[in-house]
Amino acid sequence: MQHNPAKETATIAWQFYCRLQRQRRFVVLTGSLVAWLAIASAPTASAAGPSTVAVSGANLYRRYCASCHGSDGKGNGPATPAMVTPPTDLTMLARHNAGKFDLRGVIAVIDGRRNIAAHGSREMPVWGAVFDEELKGQPYSEYTTLLRAKTLAEYLATIQQ
């Protein structure tokens, strides 16, 4: 079965939309979900609007991840000595998953808001909440948060060994 990023994006977006509806949150989709999917299928696009510069996965990684995971993703960032648990070697995610990069799973870990509290605390920041806070007041901030997590996860797929 071939990897189809556009289909995965559509599936993730649809699941996210359904979750919002189940929670009875009112979401205005002025530009329509289809327009968002067109933006989301471009790996370096930003759906945050005209005031936000397009964000690439590499730039997101350098800004949010490199201090712990290192510039090469091997878990050797400058903040590592201060951590109780060493950061994950992000270049080995596919290898530890039978050679398959789990895009959805990585997005969920980056977003972090869906983790079950009973599974324990996490040292890694909940980037979904951070992205939400940074985008507060911008149109479609919830979708842009998901798009940032997806863009970052797609970048991590490119650094796999």
Side-chain angles (χ1 to χ4, degrees):
M1 189 170 160
Q2 288 187 335
H3 175 70
N4 185 338
K7 185 176 181 182
E8 287 181 9
T9 300
T11 301
I12 292 167
W14 179 252
Q15 290 170 345
F16 185 72
Y17 175 76
C18 290
R19 191 180 96 235
L20 289 174
Q21 293 305 312
R22 280 193 302 275
Q23 293 174 349
R24 294 194 171 124
R25 295 174 77 182
F26 181 73
V27 179
V28 178
L29 296 173
T30 308
S32 84
L33 187 57
V34 175
W36 180 80
L37 289 174
I39 292 168
S41 64
T44 60
S46 172
S51 64
T52 302
V53 176
V55 180
S56 73
N59 287 339
L60 287 169
Y61 180 83
R62 281 190 292 276
R63 181 171 179 188
Y64 297 104
C65 310
S67 62
C68 295
H69 294 281
S71 60
D72 58 0
K74 295 188 179 288
N76 56 0
T80 301
M83 300 180 78
V84 174
T85 305
T88 300
D89 180 345
L90 299 176
T91 66
M92 303 296 282
L93 296 176
R95 183 175 288 177
H96 294 307
N97 192 40
K100 183 177 184 275
F101 185 79
D102 179 12
L103 183 67
R104 288 184 185 168
V106 173
I107 289 171
V109 170
I110 292 168
D111 182 72
R113 295 174 294 176
R114 293 167 189 86
N115 285 356
I116 300 169
H119 290 171
S121 63
R122 56 186 265 153
E123 264 191 86
M124 191 175 117
V126 177
W127 293 117
V130 172
F131 295 158
D132 270 351
E133 186 62 32
E134 289 179 353
L135 298 166
K136 195 175 262 180
Q138 292 191 23
Y140 308 110
S141 62
E142 292 166 332
Y143 292 113
T144 305
T145 293
L146 181 62
L147 178 60
R148 282 186 175 183
K150 179 185 175 291
T151 301
L152 185 49
E154 287 173 339
Y155 170 74
L156 294 177
T158 70
I159 65 169
Q160 297 306 294
Q161 290 186 5

